Amino acid sequence: MDERFLRVELADGVAVVTIDRQEALNALNSEVIDSLHRVFHALGKEDSLRAVILTGAGKAFVAGADIKEMADFTAAQGRAFSRRGQRVFSEIEAFPRPVIAAVNGFALGGGCELAMACDLRIASEKAKLGQPEVNLGVTPGFGGTQRLARLVGGPAAKRLLFTGELLPADRALQLGLVDEVVPPETLLDRCRELAALIAQKGPVAVSYCKQAVNAGLDMSLERGIAYEAELFAQTFATADQKEGMQAFVDKRPARFAGR
Ligand code: DAK
């Protein structure tokens, strides 16, 4: 599954995907974006997969979309790049398993947007997050204005977007842009710990929870609750529900099959 700029390690139901294009601080060029698409597509076919950890090699998570590649774009190239990027970000957001961003360093522009397309964000104390696109005379283009406002609220999102300010990890935590901050040397272990905890749970139920929260954010409360009830009903057609409830009655750990 490895690609030129992407490493994939799959063990115990958890995939660690590392973007490794350190000469450009892991900036997202077309090749990295296409590789992410291929890797997530391939991971989607792994029956044993329970969670994904996405991180960057070196001092950056991802320092943004590749400014050097974008600089001379024609409108048509810009459109194609935008479609590629948006497709991958949507695939990650809708990926049937939880995706945890291990934000090891700079997560700027498209990098911050990539982290926001993940389900959880665990940051190293060294991480810096922000949307500095206004420095380049552009807006975020991979969902930054929308996901940031949903995560941190309108005023905080506007301040970050208007100023291009880079937030240290502790400030990002206060705003809710990341969920936890840990020392750099423990970042991957902490993410693996979380992924392992998730991997013990009913896989279909975890997947439905992700689906319900994501879809519900675009619905009225009334419709969201109706959608939740439907997913709840569907879990009763799974082997996982039978196993989970029988294991409770038998006072033993559940052994979920993921179906
Ligand atoms: N793209 C390309 N190369 C980059 C890069 C980037 N985003 N960020 C860093 N690099 C490269 C640097 O050019 C440098 O390369 P060489 O000069 O060695 O060849 C190398 O990585 C190391 O960077 P620095 O020497 O600058 O390292 P420092 O530690 O001094 O500084 C930094 C780190 C992260 C503060 C700095 O590199 C920096 O400010 N980088 C740019 C951050 C940034 O502005 N990111 C946002 C990019 S714009 C859209 C879709 C998407 C987008 C917009 C529209 N549509 C669909 C409409 C998204 C836009 C963005 O993400």
Side-chain angles (χ1 to χ4, degrees), residues 136-183:
L136 305 166
V138 294
T139 63
F142 292 143
T145 59
Q146 303 307 302
R147 290 194 181 97
L148 187 62
R150 280 167 172 76
L151 270 177
V152 306
K158 284 176 184 165
R159 176 174 162 163
L160 283 170
L161 292 162
F162 296 169
T163 63
E165 183 188 359
L166 304 193
L167 290 180
D170 56 349
R171 183 81 187 107
L173 180 65
Q174 283 170 355
L175 287 180
L177 180 52
V178 300
D179 307 299
E180 191 177 336
V181 177
V182 297

mmCIF file of all heavy atoms in Angstrom, residues 136-183:
data_model
loop_
_atom_site.group_PDB
_atom_site.id
_atom_site.type_symbol
_atom_site.label_atom_id
_atom_site.label_comp_id
_atom_site.label_asym_id
_atom_site.label_seq_id
_atom_site.Cartn_x
_atom_site.Cartn_y
_atom_site.Cartn_z
ATOM 1 N N LEU A 136 -1.609 34.610 1.485
ATOM 2 C CA LEU A 136 -1.326 34.330 0.074
ATOM 3 C C LEU A 136 -2.387 34.935 -0.836
ATOM 4 O O LEU A 136 -2.369 34.724 -2.044
ATOM 5 C CB LEU A 136 -1.286 32.806 -0.146
ATOM 6 C CG LEU A 136 -0.314 32.010 0.736
ATOM 7 C CD1 LEU A 136 -0.627 30.517 0.656
ATOM 8 C CD2 LEU A 136 1.122 32.260 0.305
ATOM 9 N N GLY A 137 -3.327 35.621 -0.224
ATOM 10 C CA GLY A 137 -4.378 36.249 -1.028
ATOM 11 C C GLY A 137 -5.459 35.294 -1.475
ATOM 12 O O GLY A 137 -6.183 35.571 -2.447
ATOM 13 N N VAL A 138 -5.570 34.145 -0.809
ATOM 14 C CA VAL A 138 -6.653 33.202 -1.159
ATOM 15 C C VAL A 138 -7.437 32.816 0.093
ATOM 16 O O VAL A 138 -7.002 33.078 1.215
ATOM 17 C CB VAL A 138 -6.110 31.903 -1.842
ATOM 18 C CG1 VAL A 138 -5.491 32.204 -3.191
ATOM 19 C CG2 VAL A 138 -5.109 31.165 -0.940
ATOM 20 N N THR A 139 -8.579 32.200 -0.153
ATOM 21 C CA THR A 139 -9.366 31.651 0.951
ATOM 22 C C THR A 139 -8.963 30.193 1.119
ATOM 23 O O THR A 139 -8.393 29.605 0.195
ATOM 24 C CB THR A 139 -10.870 31.668 0.622
ATOM 25 O OG1 THR A 139 -11.084 30.804 -0.506
ATOM 26 C CG2 THR A 139 -11.363 33.062 0.305
ATOM 27 N N PRO A 140 -9.284 29.581 2.258
ATOM 28 C CA PRO A 140 -9.145 28.129 2.335
ATOM 29 C C PRO A 140 -10.014 27.493 1.257
ATOM 30 O O PRO A 140 -11.072 28.034 0.920
ATOM 31 C CB PRO A 140 -9.684 27.790 3.733
ATOM 32 C CG PRO A 140 -9.538 29.048 4.512
ATOM 33 C CD PRO A 140 -9.785 30.155 3.534
ATOM 34 N N GLY A 141 -9.576 26.362 0.741
ATOM 35 C CA GLY A 141 -10.332 25.753 -0.362
ATOM 36 C C GLY A 141 -10.698 24.311 -0.140
ATOM 37 O O GLY A 141 -11.315 23.684 -0.978
ATOM 38 N N PHE A 142 -10.270 23.760 0.997
ATOM 39 C CA PHE A 142 -10.612 22.360 1.279
ATOM 40 C C PHE A 142 -11.545 22.276 2.484
ATOM 41 O O PHE A 142 -11.394 21.412 3.341
ATOM 42 C CB PHE A 142 -9.347 21.526 1.519
ATOM 43 C CG PHE A 142 -8.483 21.330 0.298
ATOM 44 C CD1 PHE A 142 -7.101 21.319 0.400
ATOM 45 C CD2 PHE A 142 -9.042 21.140 -0.956
ATOM 46 C CE1 PHE A 142 -6.290 21.132 -0.717
ATOM 47 C CE2 PHE A 142 -8.247 20.948 -2.085
ATOM 48 C CZ PHE A 142 -6.863 20.946 -1.971
ATOM 49 N N GLY A 143 -12.489 23.203 2.555
ATOM 50 C CA GLY A 143 -13.509 23.126 3.601
ATOM 51 C C GLY A 143 -13.176 23.873 4.873
ATOM 52 O O GLY A 143 -13.917 23.794 5.856
ATOM 53 N N GLY A 144 -12.065 24.606 4.888
ATOM 54 C CA GLY A 144 -11.611 25.258 6.110
ATOM 55 C C GLY A 144 -12.606 26.231 6.715
ATOM 56 O O GLY A 144 -12.808 26.225 7.932
ATOM 57 N N THR A 145 -13.231 27.040 5.902
ATOM 58 C CA THR A 145 -14.155 28.028 6.478
ATOM 59 C C THR A 145 -15.358 27.333 7.113
ATOM 60 O O THR A 145 -15.897 27.796 8.114
ATOM 61 C CB THR A 145 -14.667 29.027 5.408
ATOM 62 O OG1 THR A 145 -15.324 28.288 4.376
ATOM 63 C CG2 THR A 145 -13.530 29.841 4.805
ATOM 64 N N GLN A 146 -15.727 26.200 6.563
ATOM 65 C CA GLN A 146 -16.932 25.517 7.042
ATOM 66 C C GLN A 146 -16.654 24.636 8.258
ATOM 67 O O GLN A 146 -17.343 24.703 9.266
ATOM 68 C CB GLN A 146 -17.537 24.681 5.904
ATOM 69 C CG GLN A 146 -17.859 25.521 4.679
ATOM 70 C CD GLN A 146 -18.721 26.734 5.036
ATOM 71 O OE1 GLN A 146 -19.810 26.565 5.588
ATOM 72 N NE2 GLN A 146 -18.243 27.937 4.756
ATOM 73 N N ARG A 147 -15.624 23.785 8.145
ATOM 74 C CA ARG A 147 -15.351 22.866 9.277
ATOM 75 C C ARG A 147 -14.811 23.635 10.482
ATOM 76 O O ARG A 147 -15.111 23.296 11.614
ATOM 77 C CB ARG A 147 -14.376 21.769 8.851
ATOM 78 C CG ARG A 147 -14.995 20.788 7.869
ATOM 79 C CD ARG A 147 -14.172 19.511 7.702
ATOM 80 N NE ARG A 147 -14.789 18.625 6.736
ATOM 81 C CZ ARG A 147 -14.432 18.546 5.447
ATOM 82 N NH1 ARG A 147 -13.461 19.298 4.977
ATOM 83 N NH2 ARG A 147 -15.066 17.712 4.641
ATOM 84 N N LEU A 148 -14.014 24.663 10.250
ATOM 85 C CA LEU A 148 -13.455 25.425 11.379
ATOM 86 C C LEU A 148 -14.577 26.098 12.167
ATOM 87 O O LEU A 148 -14.605 26.040 13.401
ATOM 88 C CB LEU A 148 -12.452 26.466 10.864
ATOM 89 C CG LEU A 148 -11.671 27.225 11.933
ATOM 90 C CD1 LEU A 148 -10.820 26.275 12.772
ATOM 91 C CD2 LEU A 148 -10.773 28.300 11.306
ATOM 92 N N ALA A 149 -15.507 26.714 11.469
ATOM 93 C CA ALA A 149 -16.616 27.386 12.160
ATOM 94 C C ALA A 149 -17.475 26.384 12.925
ATOM 95 O O ALA A 149 -17.957 26.670 14.020
ATOM 96 C CB ALA A 149 -17.467 28.157 11.159
ATOM 97 N N ARG A 150 -17.633 25.179 12.378
ATOM 98 C CA ARG A 150 -18.420 24.159 13.091
ATOM 99 C C ARG A 150 -17.689 23.686 14.345
ATOM 100 O O ARG A 150 -18.311 23.360 15.347
ATOM 101 C CB ARG A 150 -18.714 22.969 12.167
ATOM 102 C CG ARG A 150 -19.875 23.226 11.197
ATOM 103 C CD ARG A 150 -19.887 22.152 10.112
ATOM 104 N NE ARG A 150 -21.049 22.214 9.252
ATOM 105 C CZ ARG A 150 -21.239 23.101 8.284
ATOM 106 N NH1 ARG A 150 -20.344 24.065 8.065
ATOM 107 N NH2 ARG A 150 -22.321 23.046 7.528
ATOM 108 N N LEU A 151 -16.360 23.643 14.269
ATOM 109 C CA LEU A 151 -15.586 23.144 15.418
ATOM 110 C C LEU A 151 -15.423 24.186 16.516
ATOM 111 O O LEU A 151 -15.541 23.877 17.691
ATOM 112 C CB LEU A 151 -14.174 22.728 14.964
ATOM 113 C CG LEU A 151 -13.964 21.295 14.518
ATOM 114 C CD1 LEU A 151 -12.528 21.094 14.044
ATOM 115 C CD2 LEU A 151 -14.248 20.336 15.667
ATOM 116 N N VAL A 152 -15.089 25.414 16.137
ATOM 117 C CA VAL A 152 -14.724 26.401 17.168
ATOM 118 C C VAL A 152 -15.726 27.540 17.278
ATOM 119 O O VAL A 152 -15.568 28.405 18.138
ATOM 120 C CB VAL A 152 -13.286 26.972 16.925
ATOM 121 C CG1 VAL A 152 -12.269 25.856 16.817
ATOM 122 C CG2 VAL A 152 -13.231 27.869 15.695
ATOM 123 N N GLY A 153 -16.744 27.539 16.415
ATOM 124 C CA GLY A 153 -17.736 28.620 16.433
ATOM 125 C C GLY A 153 -17.330 29.747 15.485
ATOM 126 O O GLY A 153 -16.149 29.900 15.139
ATOM 127 N N GLY A 154 -18.320 30.536 15.097
ATOM 128 C CA GLY A 154 -18.112 31.577 14.081
ATOM 129 C C GLY A 154 -17.060 32.614 14.439
ATOM 130 O O GLY A 154 -16.105 32.833 13.671
ATOM 131 N N PRO A 155 -17.182 33.269 15.608
ATOM 132 C CA PRO A 155 -16.233 34.346 15.913
ATOM 133 C C PRO A 155 -14.776 33.868 15.971
ATOM 134 O O PRO A 155 -13.879 34.513 15.411
ATOM 135 C CB PRO A 155 -16.714 34.849 17.284
ATOM 136 C CG PRO A 155 -18.176 34.516 17.316
ATOM 137 C CD PRO A 155 -18.293 33.227 16.582
ATOM 138 N N ALA A 156 -14.526 32.732 16.642
ATOM 139 C CA ALA A 156 -13.136 32.241 16.739
ATOM 140 C C ALA A 156 -12.627 31.846 15.359
ATOM 141 O O ALA A 156 -11.457 32.086 15.013
ATOM 142 C CB ALA A 156 -13.063 31.058 17.698
ATOM 143 N N ALA A 157 -13.507 31.259 14.533
ATOM 144 C CA ALA A 157 -13.103 30.870 13.185
ATOM 145 C C ALA A 157 -12.756 32.119 12.373
ATOM 146 O O ALA A 157 -11.724 32.173 11.685
ATOM 147 C CB ALA A 157 -14.218 30.091 12.499
ATOM 148 N N LYS A 158 -13.585 33.138 12.486
ATOM 149 C CA LYS A 158 -13.341 34.357 11.710
ATOM 150 C C LYS A 158 -12.010 34.991 12.106
ATOM 151 O O LYS A 158 -11.236 35.433 11.265
ATOM 152 C CB LYS A 158 -14.482 35.354 11.924
ATOM 153 C CG LYS A 158 -15.739 34.973 11.156
ATOM 154 C CD LYS A 158 -16.864 35.934 11.475
ATOM 155 C CE LYS A 158 -18.159 35.511 10.800
ATOM 156 N NZ LYS A 158 -19.326 36.202 11.364
ATOM 157 N N ARG A 159 -11.749 35.025 13.417
ATOM 158 C CA ARG A 159 -10.484 35.623 13.869
ATOM 159 C C ARG A 159 -9.283 34.879 13.263
ATOM 160 O O ARG A 159 -8.350 35.499 12.751
ATOM 161 C CB ARG A 159 -10.429 35.593 15.398
ATOM 162 C CG ARG A 159 -9.129 36.108 15.918
ATOM 163 C CD ARG A 159 -9.130 36.222 17.405
ATOM 164 N NE ARG A 159 -7.742 36.308 17.848
ATOM 165 C CZ ARG A 159 -7.374 36.727 19.025
ATOM 166 N NH1 ARG A 159 -8.279 37.095 19.900
ATOM 167 N NH2 ARG A 159 -6.100 36.777 19.349
ATOM 168 N N LEU A 160 -9.354 33.542 13.300
ATOM 169 C CA LEU A 160 -8.244 32.757 12.740
ATOM 170 C C LEU A 160 -8.120 32.963 11.234
ATOM 171 O O LEU A 160 -7.012 33.077 10.699
ATOM 172 C CB LEU A 160 -8.466 31.265 13.017
ATOM 173 C CG LEU A 160 -8.154 30.817 14.435
ATOM 174 C CD1 LEU A 160 -8.634 29.390 14.665
ATOM 175 C CD2 LEU A 160 -6.649 30.897 14.672
ATOM 176 N N LEU A 161 -9.261 33.002 10.565
ATOM 177 C CA LEU A 161 -9.255 33.140 9.099
ATOM 178 C C LEU A 161 -8.805 34.542 8.676
ATOM 179 O O LEU A 161 -8.060 34.695 7.703
ATOM 180 C CB LEU A 161 -10.651 32.850 8.539
ATOM 181 C CG LEU A 161 -11.118 31.394 8.677
ATOM 182 C CD1 LEU A 161 -12.629 31.284 8.527
ATOM 183 C CD2 LEU A 161 -10.411 30.500 7.661
ATOM 184 N N PHE A 162 -9.258 35.558 9.403
ATOM 185 C CA PHE A 162 -8.930 36.952 9.033
ATOM 186 C C PHE A 162 -7.452 37.267 9.288
ATOM 187 O O PHE A 162 -6.841 38.036 8.560
ATOM 188 C CB PHE A 162 -9.751 37.953 9.855
ATOM 189 C CG PHE A 162 -11.254 37.914 9.630
ATOM 190 C CD1 PHE A 162 -12.100 38.602 10.483
ATOM 191 C CD2 PHE A 162 -11.812 37.209 8.573
ATOM 192 C CE1 PHE A 162 -13.476 38.591 10.299
ATOM 193 C CE2 PHE A 162 -13.192 37.185 8.381
ATOM 194 C CZ PHE A 162 -14.022 37.876 9.245
ATOM 195 N N THR A 163 -6.910 36.693 10.386
ATOM 196 C CA THR A 163 -5.546 37.074 10.791
ATOM 197 C C THR A 163 -4.481 36.104 10.292
ATOM 198 O O THR A 163 -3.301 36.445 10.265
ATOM 199 C CB THR A 163 -5.422 37.118 12.334
ATOM 200 O OG1 THR A 163 -5.655 35.793 12.833
ATOM 201 C CG2 THR A 163 -6.414 38.102 12.954
ATOM 202 N N GLY A 164 -4.884 34.878 9.973
ATOM 203 C CA GLY A 164 -3.907 33.866 9.567
ATOM 204 C C GLY A 164 -3.012 33.432 10.726
ATOM 205 O O GLY A 164 -1.995 32.753 10.523
ATOM 206 N N GLU A 165 -3.423 33.795 11.942
ATOM 207 C CA GLU A 165 -2.639 33.508 13.149
ATOM 208 C C GLU A 165 -2.387 31.994 13.305
ATOM 209 O O GLU A 165 -3.276 31.199 13.052
ATOM 210 C CB GLU A 165 -3.476 34.024 14.330
ATOM 211 C CG GLU A 165 -2.875 33.928 15.694
ATOM 212 C CD GLU A 165 -3.905 34.290 16.800
ATOM 213 O OE1 GLU A 165 -5.073 34.631 16.468
ATOM 214 O OE2 GLU A 165 -3.528 34.217 17.959
ATOM 215 N N LEU A 166 -1.163 31.645 13.727
ATOM 216 C CA LEU A 166 -0.850 30.236 14.001
ATOM 217 C C LEU A 166 -1.045 29.961 15.486
ATOM 218 O O LEU A 166 -0.428 30.611 16.332
ATOM 219 C CB LEU A 166 0.595 29.896 13.614
ATOM 220 C CG LEU A 166 1.022 30.184 12.173
ATOM 221 C CD1 LEU A 166 2.347 29.496 11.868
ATOM 222 C CD2 LEU A 166 -0.051 29.726 11.180
ATOM 223 N N LEU A 167 -1.905 29.009 15.801
ATOM 224 C CA LEU A 167 -2.211 28.712 17.200
ATOM 225 C C LEU A 167 -1.278 27.655 17.749
ATOM 226 O O LEU A 167 -1.144 26.586 17.149
ATOM 227 C CB LEU A 167 -3.626 28.136 17.304
ATOM 228 C CG LEU A 167 -4.811 29.039 17.048
ATOM 229 C CD1 LEU A 167 -6.091 28.214 17.224
ATOM 230 C CD2 LEU A 167 -4.804 30.218 18.004
ATOM 231 N N PRO A 168 -0.677 27.911 18.919
ATOM 232 C CA PRO A 168 0.021 26.816 19.578
ATOM 233 C C PRO A 168 -0.985 25.775 20.057
ATOM 234 O O PRO A 168 -2.182 26.072 20.204
ATOM 235 C CB PRO A 168 0.731 27.495 20.765
ATOM 236 C CG PRO A 168 0.124 28.838 20.903
ATOM 237 C CD PRO A 168 -0.646 29.172 19.657
ATOM 238 N N ALA A 169 -0.499 24.559 20.305
ATOM 239 C CA ALA A 169 -1.400 23.443 20.613
ATOM 240 C C ALA A 169 -2.312 23.734 21.809
ATOM 241 O O ALA A 169 -3.502 23.409 21.774
ATOM 242 C CB ALA A 169 -0.572 22.186 20.875
ATOM 243 N N ASP A 170 -1.765 24.359 22.864
ATOM 244 C CA ASP A 170 -2.600 24.564 24.053
ATOM 245 C C ASP A 170 -3.767 25.501 23.771
ATOM 246 O O ASP A 170 -4.876 25.323 24.255
ATOM 247 C CB ASP A 170 -1.762 25.041 25.256
ATOM 248 C CG ASP A 170 -0.969 26.303 24.962
ATOM 249 O OD1 ASP A 170 -0.886 26.703 23.771
ATOM 250 O OD2 ASP A 170 -0.436 26.904 25.912
ATOM 251 N N ARG A 171 -3.528 26.490 22.921
ATOM 252 C CA ARG A 171 -4.597 27.424 22.547
ATOM 253 C C ARG A 171 -5.634 26.706 21.643
ATOM 254 O O ARG A 171 -6.839 26.916 21.773
ATOM 255 C CB ARG A 171 -3.965 28.622 21.843
ATOM 256 C CG ARG A 171 -4.900 29.701 21.464
ATOM 257 C CD ARG A 171 -5.243 30.638 22.616
ATOM 258 N NE ARG A 171 -6.304 31.547 22.161
ATOM 259 C CZ ARG A 171 -7.566 31.475 22.561
ATOM 260 N NH1 ARG A 171 -7.935 30.601 23.465
ATOM 261 N NH2 ARG A 171 -8.459 32.310 22.079
ATOM 262 N N ALA A 172 -5.118 25.846 20.748
ATOM 263 C CA ALA A 172 -6.024 25.069 19.881
ATOM 264 C C ALA A 172 -6.911 24.167 20.737
ATOM 265 O O ALA A 172 -8.089 23.971 20.431
ATOM 266 C CB ALA A 172 -5.218 24.238 18.887
ATOM 267 N N LEU A 173 -6.352 23.667 21.830
ATOM 268 C CA LEU A 173 -7.131 22.818 22.741
ATOM 269 C C LEU A 173 -8.233 23.635 23.420
ATOM 270 O O LEU A 173 -9.386 23.204 23.485
ATOM 271 C CB LEU A 173 -6.201 22.209 23.800
ATOM 272 C CG LEU A 173 -6.850 21.286 24.829
ATOM 273 C CD1 LEU A 173 -7.396 20.023 24.156
ATOM 274 C CD2 LEU A 173 -5.851 20.889 25.926
ATOM 275 N N GLN A 174 -7.881 24.841 23.877
ATOM 276 C CA GLN A 174 -8.889 25.701 24.530
ATOM 277 C C GLN A 174 -10.055 25.976 23.592
ATOM 278 O O GLN A 174 -11.204 26.051 23.996
ATOM 279 C CB GLN A 174 -8.276 27.043 24.929
ATOM 280 C CG GLN A 174 -7.415 27.001 26.171
ATOM 281 C CD GLN A 174 -6.641 28.319 26.355
ATOM 282 O OE1 GLN A 174 -6.692 29.222 25.507
ATOM 283 N NE2 GLN A 174 -5.931 28.408 27.456
ATOM 284 N N LEU A 175 -9.742 26.148 22.305
ATOM 285 C CA LEU A 175 -10.801 26.476 21.337
ATOM 286 C C LEU A 175 -11.590 25.258 20.870
ATOM 287 O O LEU A 175 -12.620 25.400 20.223
ATOM 288 C CB LEU A 175 -10.186 27.146 20.101
ATOM 289 C CG LEU A 175 -9.695 28.589 20.243
ATOM 290 C CD1 LEU A 175 -9.114 29.069 18.924
ATOM 291 C CD2 LEU A 175 -10.848 29.502 20.667
ATOM 292 N N GLY A 176 -11.067 24.062 21.149
ATOM 293 C CA GLY A 176 -11.741 22.842 20.671
ATOM 294 C C GLY A 176 -11.294 22.436 19.277
ATOM 295 O O GLY A 176 -11.901 21.557 18.660
ATOM 296 N N LEU A 177 -10.225 23.070 18.797
ATOM 297 C CA LEU A 177 -9.718 22.686 17.467
ATOM 298 C C LEU A 177 -8.968 21.361 17.554
ATOM 299 O O LEU A 177 -8.905 20.610 16.578
ATOM 300 C CB LEU A 177 -8.813 23.810 16.928
ATOM 301 C CG LEU A 177 -8.181 23.629 15.571
ATOM 302 C CD1 LEU A 177 -9.204 23.276 14.500
ATOM 303 C CD2 LEU A 177 -7.430 24.904 15.153
ATOM 304 N N VAL A 178 -8.365 21.064 18.703
ATOM 305 C CA VAL A 178 -7.819 19.721 18.955
ATOM 306 C C VAL A 178 -8.469 19.189 20.236
ATOM 307 O O VAL A 178 -8.989 19.963 21.045
ATOM 308 C CB VAL A 178 -6.275 19.694 19.057
ATOM 309 C CG1 VAL A 178 -5.633 20.191 17.776
ATOM 310 C CG2 VAL A 178 -5.773 20.476 20.256
ATOM 311 N N ASP A 179 -8.408 17.873 20.387
ATOM 312 C CA ASP A 179 -9.113 17.242 21.503
ATOM 313 C C ASP A 179 -8.214 16.967 22.699
ATOM 314 O O ASP A 179 -8.701 16.787 23.812
ATOM 315 C CB ASP A 179 -9.735 15.918 21.025
ATOM 316 C CG ASP A 179 -10.585 16.136 19.801
ATOM 317 O OD1 ASP A 179 -11.560 16.891 19.888
ATOM 318 O OD2 ASP A 179 -10.245 15.595 18.725
ATOM 319 N N GLU A 180 -6.914 16.896 22.453
ATOM 320 C CA GLU A 180 -5.980 16.554 23.527
ATOM 321 C C GLU A 180 -4.592 16.986 23.080
ATOM 322 O O GLU A 180 -4.282 16.948 21.885
ATOM 323 C CB GLU A 180 -6.038 15.027 23.732
ATOM 324 C CG GLU A 180 -5.332 14.529 24.961
ATOM 325 C CD GLU A 180 -5.497 13.005 25.140
ATOM 326 O OE1 GLU A 180 -6.488 12.432 24.621
ATOM 327 O OE2 GLU A 180 -4.620 12.413 25.785
ATOM 328 N N VAL A 181 -3.775 17.379 24.044
ATOM 329 C CA VAL A 181 -2.382 17.745 23.732
ATOM 330 C C VAL A 181 -1.469 16.876 24.588
ATOM 331 O O VAL A 181 -1.702 16.739 25.796
ATOM 332 C CB VAL A 181 -2.127 19.244 24.028
ATOM 333 C CG1 VAL A 181 -0.666 19.599 23.771
ATOM 334 C CG2 VAL A 181 -3.033 20.122 23.170
ATOM 335 N N VAL A 182 -0.465 16.289 23.952
ATOM 336 C CA VAL A 182 0.427 15.367 24.671
ATOM 337 C C VAL A 182 1.878 15.686 24.313
ATOM 338 O O VAL A 182 2.147 16.317 23.273
ATOM 339 C CB VAL A 182 0.111 13.888 24.314
ATOM 340 C CG1 VAL A 182 -1.299 13.501 24.736
ATOM 341 C CG2 VAL A 182 0.312 13.626 22.828
ATOM 342 N N PRO A 183 2.833 15.256 25.135
ATOM 343 C CA PRO A 183 4.236 15.465 24.777
ATOM 344 C C PRO A 183 4.556 14.788 23.443
ATOM 345 O O PRO A 183 3.994 13.717 23.157
ATOM 346 C CB PRO A 183 5.009 14.794 25.924
ATOM 347 C CG PRO A 183 4.041 14.718 27.060
ATOM 348 C CD PRO A 183 2.683 14.590 26.440
#
